[in-house]
Amino acid sequence: MVLRGDVAQLAQFDTAPGASPATPMAIIARIREVMQQASDLGEAAASYAEEPAGRGRVGYDPVLDALATTGRGDQPVRFVVDDSNEAFRALKLSQDTGASVLLAGLANPTARADRMAEEGRPLLLSLDLPDALEDEDADSTASEPPHDATRTFSYESLDAETATLQSKRRAALERVESGARVLDSLGVAFAFALFDMKPGEIHGNLRRLIDAGLPEDAALAALTTDAAALLDLGATMGTVEAGKMANLVVTDGSYFDAESTVQMVFVDGHKFEFATVAPP
């Protein structure tokens, strides 16, 4: 189901094996160059359209023509970023080129949350969380005291070193799981995006974010109203109202309750019921 076309241009800092540009700095330089070329071409085309007599026709380049709208800020660039460093680079590009950048991905947004709040910049937040710690890992992390990671270890301190690594892993996981809560507390608008995660992981990952402090109302908005607004689809979806598209999930309890089950789904107004089967 295509809801809207030409939503945004897509960019990321990934490199291709054996291809140029091959480094983050080279990618940034290439993006600046292409966007400047698109801006120049757009200005030349506008000038020619205003007064074509006696002037050479401006050539057409499909890539630069598509990017001309981003340089004017008419169409956003959805920048897929993996970490806070890439987020900083994307925001700096937005500042330098005038492009309207919408960050996407960034499973741990805490490091850039203050700047996003200051600039009023929304985020498509990845729901693809790292694997949760197993119970025995969490127990060992809690029971063992932090170990001095500056020491040179030997086989005699293996248990202490393992405890230190588990403690660091737990802290990193907590930062990721608390990212949505931090964004909500700062008033940063965000919507959830799936990226490469499996549909069966959605409910469990949402539950982990809520357990880390994200209010259920904020989680619901990131799935519905805020998601529709960020994609400029609020006029047709995002809320349950007469005249809007009926894409609904009906459960027998709170959607975020671990025990609730889906009873029926409406897709564009068409109802699909689910039969609940008790486990053998």
Side-chain angles (χ1 to χ4, degrees):
M1 180 186 297
V2 177
L3 302 175
R4 182 185 167 208
D6 297 328
V7 174
Q9 298 292 336
L10 180 67
Q12 55 192 130
F13 292 108
D14 288 353
T15 60
S20 178
T23 65
M25 293 301 102
I27 292 174
I28 292 173
R30 179 57 177 158
I31 291 175
R32 291 180 187 276
E33 178 185 12
V34 170
M35 294 195 70
Q36 184 61 54
Q37 291 173 348
S39 177
D40 294 343
L41 184 64
E43 291 179 4
S47 178
Y48 176 80
E50 182 178 346
E51 189 177 349
R55 304 173 63 181
R57 184 174 60 83
V58 177
Y60 173 73
D61 185 300
V63 174
L64 297 182
D65 185 68
L67 290 175
T69 57
T70 66
R72 297 193 300 267
D74 298 336
Q75 187 183 53
V77 179
R78 189 171 300 161
F79 238 110
V80 180
V81 294
D82 293 329
D83 53 43
S84 60
N85 288 333
E86 290 191 353
F88 173 81
R89 293 164 184 160
L91 294 175
K92 187 65 168 62
L93 277 171
S94 174
Q95 178 182 355
D96 294 345
T97 63
S100 175
V101 166
L102 173 61
L103 296 180
L106 197 59
N108 179 14
T110 307
R112 301 298 171 195
D114 288 338
R115 179 169 177 180
M116 286 186 285
E118 181 181 342
E119 298 182 4
R121 195 178 297 273
L123 171 68
L124 290 175
L125 180 63
S126 174
L127 257 182
D128 192 7
L129 304 179
D131 292 338
L133 288 176
E134 299 294 337
D135 291 341
E136 57 268 23
D137 292 336
D139 291 343
S140 65
T141 301
S143 60
E144 293 289 345
H147 183 59
D148 182 3
T150 62
R151 285 184 49 210
T152 301
F153 303 110
S154 68
Y155 67 92
E156 295 179 350
S157 60
L158 182 59
D159 289 343
E161 181 180 3
T162 300
T164 296
L165 295 176
Q166 291 287 11
S167 178
K168 290 181 177 180
R169 184 184 173 197
R170 176 69 261 174
L173 190 59
E174 288 176 352
R175 287 194 293 270
V176 172
E177 292 175 338
S178 65
R181 174 185 58 78
V182 172
L183 292 176
D184 179 63
S185 67
L186 292 174
V188 178
F190 66 94
F192 290 126
L194 303 186
F195 292 89
D196 295 328
M197 70 179 297
K198 299 175 182 177
E201 298 173 344
I202 295 175
H203 194 267
N205 285 4
L206 284 169
R207 187 70 256 170
R208 289 168 62 186
L209 298 182
I210 291 170
D211 290 343
L214 177 67
E216 288 190 4
D217 287 349
L220 182 61
L223 293 170
T224 54
T225 53
D226 288 347
L230 289 187
L231 298 176
D232 198 19
L233 293 169
T236 58
M237 58 196 313
T239 57
V240 183
E241 296 182 60
K244 288 194 174 183
M245 187 179 298
N247 289 344
L248 307 170
V249 177
V250 181
T251 62
D252 59 0
S254 168
Y255 174 72
F256 301 108
D257 191 326
E259 302 300 323
S260 66
T261 59
V262 175
Q263 300 297 298
M264 63 186 71
V265 172
F266 290 84
V267 179
D268 201 12
H270 299 284
K271 183 172 72 171
F272 299 87
E273 295 191 52
F274 289 80
T276 303
V277 179

